[in-house]
Amino acid sequence: MYKLYGVRSWGSMAVEAVLALCGAPYTVVDVEQDTERRFPPWFIELNPMGQVPVLMLPDGSVMTESAAMAIYLADAFPDAQLAPGLASPLRPRYLRWMVFLAANSYMTEGRWDFPSGYTDDPNGAQGVKSAAIRLMAKEWDIFAEALGRAPFILGAAMSAADIYAAMIAGWNNNLPSLFAKHPNLKALHDGVTAHPTVAAVWKRHGL
């Protein structure tokens, strides 16, 4: 049994969708924060960074970093066909865009939503936010160009990278403008969220 610790509509959403698509046995623990957005001490023991999600594996070991979880689970359950195999010529492309999304878009979205958490200057939050908005536009430009006319980033088949991209895109505060600029990104998002299993997870997260 896998145990996924997260917050609804946050980064645990994509990992939960991958677990469900893989048919893995899992439970979800919705972690509550206090009025200052702090996690309880027991959760900090699981992840000293104080970030969700956290995935406890069946052997009791702990994983952090949502993209790492998605990559691991897709490989652990190859029958779900959410990732190309190690010998596939699509494997480098899959890893490239999964890491691109995690290292860039995910983090930029965080600076957009919570700019004060990225500066010690009490007057610096607006600068952090405006830079994040500018950078986010560039990152989606790059991703959308790579996507091209294909329904998903690897072509015809949906992968864990597409689920991850759909989650991050869905967080965008200017979603109508983003999708108007990149209709292919909207098509990817809609293709992912139309899958019945993913749709059920998204609904649990209030989306």
Side-chain angles (χ1 to χ4, degrees):
M1 180 69 71
Y2 294 84
K3 184 179 288 187
L4 179 64
Y5 298 84
V7 174
R8 293 195 182 196
S9 80
W10 286 27
S12 54
M13 191 165 58
V15 181
E16 185 177 344
V18 171
L19 282 164
L21 286 165
C22 288
Y26 73 94
T27 59
V28 176
V29 178
D30 291 317
V31 186
E32 295 185 359
Q33 298 170 288
D34 64 18
T35 56
E36 297 183 12
R37 304 180 69 91
R38 294 175 302 193
F39 288 107
W42 65 263
F43 181 77
I44 302 301
E45 291 183 11
L46 290 175
N47 185 2
M49 286 295 293
Q51 298 171 340
V52 291
V54 167
L55 181 66
M56 184 173 290
L57 306 184
D59 65 2
S61 59
V62 168
M63 286 191 74
T64 65
E65 311 308 326
S66 57
M69 296 173 203
I71 292 169
Y72 170 79
L73 290 167
D75 287 345
F77 294 88
D79 289 348
Q81 298 184 338
L82 292 178
L86 296 179
S88 169
L90 288 174
R91 183 72 178 189
R93 180 176 176 85
Y94 164 71
L95 291 175
R96 174 191 177 184
W97 292 111
M98 180 65 87
V99 175
F100 175 90
L101 291 163
N104 296 287
S105 305
Y106 194 118
M107 298 306 297
T108 303
E109 187 68 43
R111 292 193 294 273
W112 185 349
D113 286 338
F114 309 111
S116 61
Y118 292 87
T119 177
D120 291 328
D121 180 356
N123 300 313
Q126 185 55 48
V128 171
K129 183 173 182 175
S130 62
I133 292 171
R134 174 179 49 78
L135 185 57
M136 177 64 74
K138 178 181 179 180
E139 290 163 358
W140 283 126
D141 286 348
I142 293 170
F143 185 84
E145 183 177 359
L147 178 61
R149 296 183 179 181
F152 300 111
I153 195 63
L154 300 183
M158 182 178 73
S159 71
D162 300 296
I163 298 169
Y164 208 71
M167 175 184 71
I168 299 170
W171 290 337
N172 196 283
N173 292 314
N174 292 327
L175 194 58
S177 296
L178 176 65
F179 284 169
K181 184 179 183 182
H182 299 299
N184 60 344
L185 181 59
K186 182 181 188 302
L188 179 150
H189 175 273
D190 292 350
V192 169
T193 58
H195 190 290
T197 301
V198 178
V201 172
W202 256 236
K203 183 177 180 180
R204 195 190 80 78
H205 285 263
L207 301 176

